[in-house]
Amino acid sequence: MNVQFRDRPEPASPVEVKTAIADCDIHPARATRDELYPFLAKRWHSHLETWGVHPYQGMMEGPPYPKAQPNASRRDAYPPEGGQQGSSLSFMQQQLLDPYNVALGVLNPLGATGQGMRNHDLATALATAINDWQIAKWTSQDSRLKASVVVANEDGVSAAAEIRRRAGDKNFVQVLLLSRNVEPLGQRRYWPIYEAAEEAGLPVGVHAFGFGGNPITASGWPSFYIEEMVGHSQCQQTALASIVLEGVFASYPKLKMVMIEAGFGWAPSLSWRLDKVFAKLHGEVPHLKRKPSEYIRDHIFWTTQPMEDPERRDHLFDVIDWIGWDKLLFATDYPHWDFDEPSRVLPPGVSDANREAFYLGNAKKLYGIA
Amino acid sequence: MTSPLAGGVDCDLHPAVPHLTSLLPYLNDYWRDQVTTRGMTDLVSQSYPTNSPISSRPDWRPAQGKPGSSLPDMKTQALDRFGVSHGICNPLYGVQMVFSEDMADAFCRALNDWLVKEWLDKEPRLRGSIVIPVQSVEKSVAEIERCAKDPRFVQVLMLVMGDMPLGKRAYWPIYAAAERLGLPIGIHAGSAYHNPPTSVGWGSYHIEDYVAQAQAFQTQLTSLIVEGVFARHPNLKMVMLESGWSWLPSYLWRLHKFWRGVRMETPWVDRAPLEIVRSNIRFSLQPIDAPPDPAILNRLFDHMQSDELLLFSTDYPHWQFEGDQVLPEGMSSDLVRKIMIDNPRATYPRLKQPVAKETTP
């Protein structure tokens, strides 16, 4: 946990948004350490207090690369009643949902949620608890909010059971994975997750971050937080390449996935590279029936935050044209520091139809919200 | 088709060591004995399996032996065919994969000496890259200084995936030596396999490893920039070899954005990442990871926001293009001249140095 020395500023004034939007990446937090206990069997309370969550990293508490802000969050996002940023529904309503006219908010809980843990039984218990908690604290209290099914990512069988338990429950709109796992996400150990998600009709969101024990570069551990921040996009690229090349979409043709908070500017270049190499090396992956770029085009959606920000807006529009305006999902990443203010994200020059798809339409369609 | 210009510089050629036994004459008694007594086999990296389609174009594959192992073939298939004045040899023999720095050092010295005798002495258009035992910075610097006496060595060669990120301060003596001696650092695709070949672990397929080279280049560029290599060594050039480059613009958008957000962490980075790339980083032309559509390609050149970043390369004998189409369709003649002649000559100062015994290139 980051030590908090600085004064907390007054909340920034939001620029009010008139047209409804979807926010496809909101991070709800726990106000207190024991907030999950009502949803966890007794044995895990003392387990957590004695041994902690035992992740694939060295620190007992706090991230290996100290964030640039406490909890990587906006300094003006502390709820007035206490607790960490993102832990109060009423303050989230006041700071995010109401002023920005959020009609659909997708919750992606991070932290000690059952992902990236070495003890798989604990991971399973925590994932179930965090899902119950999302309903109790958030989605049952505000119908604009929808939950993600958090799963014990390294245990495909238990993860699939959790997805099936939540299937058909309208509180949930997707399954949540993180990009960095023990193995690349296309590996077979994760396929029970994809099978259950497809069966439940839920997209799988792959959020940047996570820990699987692998260095965040293919050349070892770097020095700085900025390298981790930028590096998440490279992790996402290799994770997506693995998913495509292992044949996940060839085997689960109805499955959709969302790349969350990892950028989208790299999508065309990665697709072109995959296609170019596939043209020569398809003999190694005969289970693929189509070009890699076609699987990506048909199965992948992208959240927008942190928004690609080239010097020239025509470069941004080129990239979006190559990806498709129908594939982007607006997100703020509330309450994190690199929050994207909806009124400032898209430069002028976008058609009304594309603007509507970008801010709301694509998300409603993907997540099945009327 | 865009025609190559005569007198260009091919910045990425791969002469192949026929077999580990080919290096025996260049090893001392101790290491010759080690190789033979211990039954060491050929050091072929998984990055380029000999029979994989991308390791050689079918029409460049010899009837016998490894692709790239014949100088006469290289002359007719690459040097003569594309009319170059110089070709820079980047040997990819797997000497970086061994775990002993002593053994790696012996192999690197042998490989560099082999390159001089078997290639540079026999073909005046060829230039070489100094392969270094990266696990030992001290030995690497010594090898750079030893080889740099020969002006035909124009670059230092490292792999994009090694033990540590390349910006780490431990490596800086290598960069100081290179800057002092007028040698760019070439960073080539490939791994020592001392870490998993992707940042999310070991994948199943060769194709996955190859695609992941581009992501490895991205993370190395971040490391080099944010550690401050170019603040300390402003005249050092680094060349990303076989890296692909269509990822560069969007990669820089992201890096620039986070640099603005958290630059307090690395205050010595006093120029924007894009400016650092423009002044210090270059990319070999092949592979071009983009569709063969001149409209898209010219948008990508525009996204690069500079015509000085790319250096002509065939990546011989790897399979990156068909026939003579080393330059993609739709390139302006100005850009062809920059890529083939001006940019390489500006990047490699040693190309201008006179070479003893050299015939007119």
Side-chain angles (χ1 to χ4, degrees):
Chain A
M1 190 126 135
N2 296 46
V3 183
Q4 296 170 11
F5 296 113
R6 299 228 185 149
D7 290 340
R8 295 172 185 182
E10 289 299 305
S13 318
V15 178
E16 297 211 356
V17 172
K18 301 219 162 46
T19 328
I21 65 167
D23 183 348
C24 295
D25 191 25
I26 299 174
H27 299 297
R30 282 154 271 174
T32 59
R33 193 176 272 268
D34 57 3
E35 198 171 295
L36 279 190
Y37 283 7
F39 310 99
L40 272 175
K42 267 264 171 357
R43 80 159 272 213
W44 296 118
H45 305 187
S46 64
H47 183 104
L48 284 169
E49 275 154 30
T50 311
W51 292 290
V53 295
H54 210 212
Y56 292 90
Q57 64 171 58
M59 306 270 192
M60 279 298 289
E61 273 192 86
Y65 294 93
K67 309 284 187 185
Q69 311 272 345
N71 306 310
S73 291
R74 288 167 49 167
R75 290 181 191 277
D76 68 347
Y78 288 102
E81 67 266 39
Q84 83 169 63
Q85 304 96 324
S87 65
S88 157
L89 174 61
S90 62
F91 193 57
M92 184 189 286
Q93 289 165 334
Q94 185 190 323
Q95 194 168 37
L96 175 75
L97 303 178
D98 298 343
Y100 295 120
N101 205 350
V102 176
L104 164 63
V106 180
L107 301 174
N108 292 316
L110 301 177
T113 61
Q115 305 217 321
M117 287 172 193
R118 289 151 67 184
N119 179 329
H120 293 182
D121 291 332
L122 173 61
T124 299
L126 272 174
T128 302
I130 206 91
N131 292 333
D132 289 339
W133 168 85
Q134 288 184 83
I135 298 173
K137 181 171 175 178
W138 304 93
T139 60
S140 67
Q141 308 297 315
D142 189 320
S143 62
R144 293 171 291 186
L145 294 176
K146 296 293 175 188
S148 295
V149 183
V150 177
V151 295
N153 56 313
E154 300 301 348
D155 183 345
V157 174
S158 121
E162 182 66 15
I163 294 166
R164 294 198 168 96
R165 187 175 306 128
R166 309 293 174 177
D169 181 337
K170 293 296 176 200
N171 287 293
F172 294 92
V173 293
Q174 74 179 353
V175 172
L176 184 63
L177 291 174
L178 301 177
S179 58
R180 297 173 61 200
N181 301 276
V182 168
E183 293 189 85
L185 272 179
Q187 293 287 322
R188 305 294 156 88
R189 65 193 285 164
Y190 306 114
W191 283 33
I193 299 171
Y194 307 137
E195 182 184 300
E198 186 192 50
E199 189 186 293
L202 293 170
V204 173
V206 180
H207 192 287
F209 299 75
F211 284 100
N214 296 300
I216 190 166
T217 87
S219 204
W221 293 99
S223 306
F224 301 110
Y225 171 56
I226 187 174
E227 300 185 77
E228 187 188 45
M229 292 291 292
V230 178
H232 286 306
S233 118
Q234 286 86 47
C235 292
Q236 200 88 10
Q237 292 175 57
T238 43
L240 176 57
S242 163
I243 289 164
V244 170
L245 293 172
E246 292 279 351
V248 170
F249 300 123
S251 293
Y252 304 107
K254 286 184 295 193
L255 183 65
K256 306 283 187 212
M257 284 197 181
V258 187
M259 301 291 119
I260 305 172
E261 204 183 335
F264 58 84
W266 46 264
S269 160
L270 179 72
S271 299
W272 295 331
R273 184 172 175 88
L274 279 162
D275 279 2
K276 183 166 180 194
V277 184
F278 179 73
K280 304 283 188 292
L281 298 181
H282 53 83
E284 192 192 19
V285 282
H287 48 274
L288 298 188
K289 304 301 173 204
R290 309 167 64 197
K291 291 199 287 189
S293 65
E294 293 173 15
Y295 288 116
I296 291 175
R297 183 77 184 78
D298 286 355
H299 292 268
I300 303 295
F301 291 78
W302 315 82
T303 66
T304 56
Q305 182 281 337
M307 187 66 180
E308 308 291 350
D309 205 3
E311 281 175 354
R312 282 174 38 195
R313 67 178 175 181
D314 57 318
H315 293 173
L316 174 70
F317 294 156
D318 284 339
V319 164
I320 298 182
D321 283 340
W322 293 332
I323 294 171
W325 280 93
D326 57 337
K327 293 295 187 286
L328 297 179
L329 310 172
F330 175 74
T332 67
D333 195 29
Y334 182 87
H336 291 161
W337 68 273
D338 44 348
F339 179 85
D340 273 346
E341 167 104 16
S343 62
R344 296 183 193 159
V345 160
L346 270 188
V350 181
S351 73
D352 288 348
N354 284 343
R355 186 171 284 274
E356 194 280 334
F358 178 96
Y359 277 114
L360 183 64
N362 296 339
K364 283 174 82 168
K365 198 167 156 193
L366 173 69
Y367 291 123
I369 306 291
Chain B
M1 195 188 91
T2 308
S3 297
L5 215 55
V9 180
D10 186 343
C11 297
D12 196 24
L13 292 161
H14 301 299
V17 175
H19 191 266
L20 183 54
T21 51
S22 317
L23 294 188
L24 289 180
Y26 304 97
L27 293 167
N28 66 22
D29 290 349
Y30 173 79
W31 285 110
R32 205 155 40 229
D33 201 42
Q34 288 278 306
V35 168
T36 47
T37 305
R38 296 170 74 177
M40 289 190 65
T41 53
D42 205 8
L43 303 176
V44 177
S45 166
Q46 290 203 39
S47 299
Y48 300 97
T50 304
N51 295 325
S52 164
I54 55 168
S55 297
S56 175
R57 262 169 62 156
D59 55 331
W60 290 347
R61 204 173 268 285
Q64 283 183 340
K66 291 177 190 168
S69 59
S70 150
L71 176 59
D73 282 358
M74 183 192 277
K75 282 188 197 174
T76 51
Q77 292 166 347
L79 303 177
D80 297 346
R81 189 164 183 178
F82 300 108
V84 296
S85 69
H86 295 92
I88 301 175
C89 295
N90 296 318
L92 296 177
Y93 200 49
V95 293
Q96 296 91 348
M97 294 187 296
V98 303
F99 287 95
S100 150
E101 65 176 61
D102 299 327
M103 185 185 283
D105 186 39
F107 286 158
C108 286
R109 294 165 65 94
L111 181 60
N112 293 326
D113 290 344
W114 168 87
L115 184 72
V116 170
K117 287 277 176 292
E118 307 288 334
W119 297 81
L120 307 189
D121 282 353
K122 294 179 177 170
E123 170 50 57
R125 286 170 291 186
L126 291 181
R127 295 292 181 275
S129 293
I130 306 166
V131 179
I132 54 173
V134 185
Q135 287 172 80
S136 164
V137 171
E138 199 184 343
K139 293 185 173 78
S140 293
V141 169
E143 183 61 1
I144 291 168
E145 287 172 346
R146 185 182 78 91
C147 294
K149 291 179 191 127
D150 184 337
R152 292 173 298 177
F153 279 111
V154 299
Q155 167 171 260
V156 174
L157 191 65
M158 300 173 85
L159 294 183
V160 72
M161 302 183 218
D163 295 83
M164 285 189 299
L166 288 172
K168 285 277 191 180
R169 310 290 159 80
Y171 289 135
W172 286 21
I174 294 174
Y175 306 145
E179 186 186 40
R180 191 174 71 242
L181 296 164
L183 295 160
I185 300 280
I187 299 170
H188 198 281
S191 180
Y193 295 92
H194 295 182
N195 282 295
T198 86
S199 54
V200 295
W202 293 87
S204 304
Y205 305 111
H206 174 65
I207 182 173
E208 214 173 331
D209 287 9
Y210 192 77
V211 168
Q213 304 279 358
Q215 288 80 52
F217 277 98
Q218 294 164 40
T219 56
Q220 291 293 21
L221 205 42
T222 310
S223 171
L224 291 163
I225 290 170
V226 306
E227 293 270 4
V229 171
F230 304 106
R232 175 68 70 89
H233 300 292
N235 298 315
L236 180 67
K237 292 273 199 299
M238 291 208 181
V239 185
M240 307 292 139
L241 294 160
E242 204 181 327
S243 56
W245 47 266
S246 63
W247 49 262
L248 181 71
S250 68
Y251 159 80
L252 282 173
W253 303 341
R254 183 177 177 93
L255 177 60
H256 184 82
K257 185 166 187 163
F258 287 134
W259 170 71
R260 282 196 317 185
V262 301
R263 58 199 280 189
M264 56 80 176
E265 187 190 26
T266 55
W268 49 84
V269 185
D270 53 3
R271 292 187 297 152
L274 174 62
E275 285 176 43
I276 294 173
V277 167
R278 268 183 208 153
S279 60
N280 296 85
I281 307 290
R282 298 294 177 262
F283 299 83
S284 69
L285 176 67
Q286 294 288 350
I288 299 170
D289 295 325
D293 174 346
I296 290 182
L297 201 77
N298 281 308
R299 292 309 299 150
L300 280 174
F301 287 136
D302 190 52
H303 289 199
M304 300 281 279
Q305 295 186 277
S306 168
D307 59 4
E308 298 188 340
L309 301 181
L310 298 179
L311 311 181
F312 178 71
S313 71
T314 57
D315 195 19
Y316 177 87
H318 297 166
W319 190 1
Q320 302 291 7
F321 57 92
E322 311 294 339
D324 293 332
Q325 296 174 320
V326 61
L327 296 172
E329 219 169 317
M331 279 173 79
S332 73
S333 55
D334 282 352
L335 188 57
V336 171
R337 189 184 168 80
K338 293 286 278 186
I339 289 176
M340 290 202 69
I341 297 172
D342 300 347
N343 296 346
R345 287 179 181 272
T347 304
Y348 294 104
R350 286 180 162 230
L351 290 179
K352 298 184 201 97
Q353 287 187 17
V355 172
K357 290 189 298 183
E358 193 193 45
T359 52
T360 309

